[in-house]
Amino acid sequence: EATLDALTVSDLTVRYGAVTALDSVSLRVPRGAVTAVLGANGAGKTTLLRTISALHPPVSGHIRMGEVDLVGASPESMSRRGLSHVPEGRGVIVELTVEENLRLGALGRNTSAAAVGIDRVLTMFPALAERRASTAHTLSGGERQMLVIGRALMATPTILLLDEPSLGLAPRVVAQIFQTLRDSVDADGLTVVLVEQNARSALSIAEHAVVLSLGTVAREGPAADLVGDEELRHAYLGF
Ligand code: ATP
């Protein structure tokens, strides 16, 4: 079954000084599916994504992509390995237009590949197509979130890591963005790791889910099993 996994994390421990953010965490990320990573503030969700992206070194453990261990790889090599990371906070360049922001995601690719990528992203997010020539400072929060996801997709990743894309957005906008992600998984076989506080929405598009609690895995399994577990929902997921 391991070959069906895009990523396999084993015994991963990460510390910030004396603070243990992840304590021997093991989990799988199935290929061509959405994996929701859930848990309260401080559970270690952001740390998990940053460690997968090689932005923070673990104390111990492994992050395997097939036969390759990503631990020790450089953050710069991640895009070449097919990994894109959308951090929390919607860091668009507000002085640039929507199209120019997207082009930044295609640096190092040739012009025709960039053009195909831009068309693809604008088809995925029609709201952005209408704003193609507008500067990003005129965009709503939802449109900025679409733009950072679109920019990450310009690198044609096989694995997309998303940190709290729903934060501060209206439910209708969240539903729209999540549906677009779902479509991309179904149509292109994209693998998505979706870190969310909004457990209910995340689970509604996920096949697989992991609940982190104080740096450890409280539960891992099919998303439907977590939704069906009332005790777990009340204890960890807030719905
Ligand atoms: P949030 O939703 O608030 O981002 P999270 O689940 O993503 O929470 P992390 O941000 O990964 O959790 O934090 C995990 C633990 O590590 C917390 O106890 C946090 O205080 C600590 N931590 C995170 N970053 C640092 C840092 N740069 N220095 C020290 N401690 C940190």
Side-chain angles (χ1 to χ4, degrees):
E1 206 188 355
T3 53
L4 300 174
D5 290 340
L7 296 170
T8 313
V9 173
S10 45
D11 298 318
L12 195 69
T13 295
V14 177
R15 295 202 183 95
Y16 301 100
V19 177
T20 300
L22 295 177
D23 189 0
S24 198
V25 162
S26 299
L27 56 91
R28 39 186 296 263
V29 174
R31 190 184 301 281
V34 177
T35 295
V37 178
L38 311 170
N41 265 323
K45 306 181 298 298
T46 295
T47 299
L48 175 67
L49 287 197
R50 289 181 54 81
T51 310
I52 292 172
S53 290
L55 296 169
H56 195 84
V59 173
S60 57
H62 302 281
I63 302 164
R64 293 201 177 82
M65 180 187 257
E67 300 294 303
V68 180
D69 195 336
L70 297 182
V71 170
S74 69
E76 295 76 20
S77 72
M78 289 302 153
S79 168
R80 182 165 46 76
R81 294 167 198 271
L83 214 119
S84 269
H85 183 162
V86 180
E88 200 177 318
R90 308 188 188 131
V92 299
I93 300 186
V94 293
E95 295 86 357
L96 298 183
T97 66
V98 165
E99 181 172 339
E100 287 163 346
N101 270 280
L102 290 177
R103 282 187 190 285
L104 288 179
L107 289 181
R109 304 190 65 208
N110 66 46
T111 312
S112 66
V116 169
I118 288 172
D119 283 348
R120 203 168 64 97
V121 169
L122 296 182
T123 305
M124 287 173 71
F125 294 111
L128 292 183
E130 289 168 30
R131 314 301 303 279
R132 180 174 188 148
S134 307
T135 51
H137 81 86
T138 65
L139 300 182
S140 67
E143 289 162 348
R144 287 182 191 210
Q145 187 61 60
M146 293 172 197
L147 184 52
V148 291
I149 293 172
R151 189 175 62 196
L153 291 174
M154 289 293 292
T156 60
T158 53
I159 304 176
L160 184 64
L161 310 177
L162 292 165
D163 200 348
E164 300 260 11
S166 79
L167 204 69
L169 301 183
R172 181 181 51 79
V173 178
V174 174
Q176 206 180 328
I177 291 173
F178 280 16
Q179 186 57 51
T180 302
L181 288 171
R182 186 65 246 173
D183 292 345
S184 212
V185 170
D186 294 337
D188 308 326
L190 183 68
T191 299
V192 171
V193 181
L194 178 60
V195 160
E196 268 295 338
Q197 299 246 14
N198 188 341
R200 190 203 291 265
S201 297
L203 287 170
S204 75
I205 62 155
E207 281 93 347
H208 190 68
V210 179
V211 179
L212 293 180
S213 173
L214 300 173
T216 66
V217 175
R219 176 77 175 264
E220 177 178 19
D225 289 4
L226 275 69
V227 174
D229 186 335
E230 193 174 343
E231 219 173 292
L232 178 100
R233 281 196 341 245
H234 291 170
Y236 294 107
L237 305 179
F239 77 96

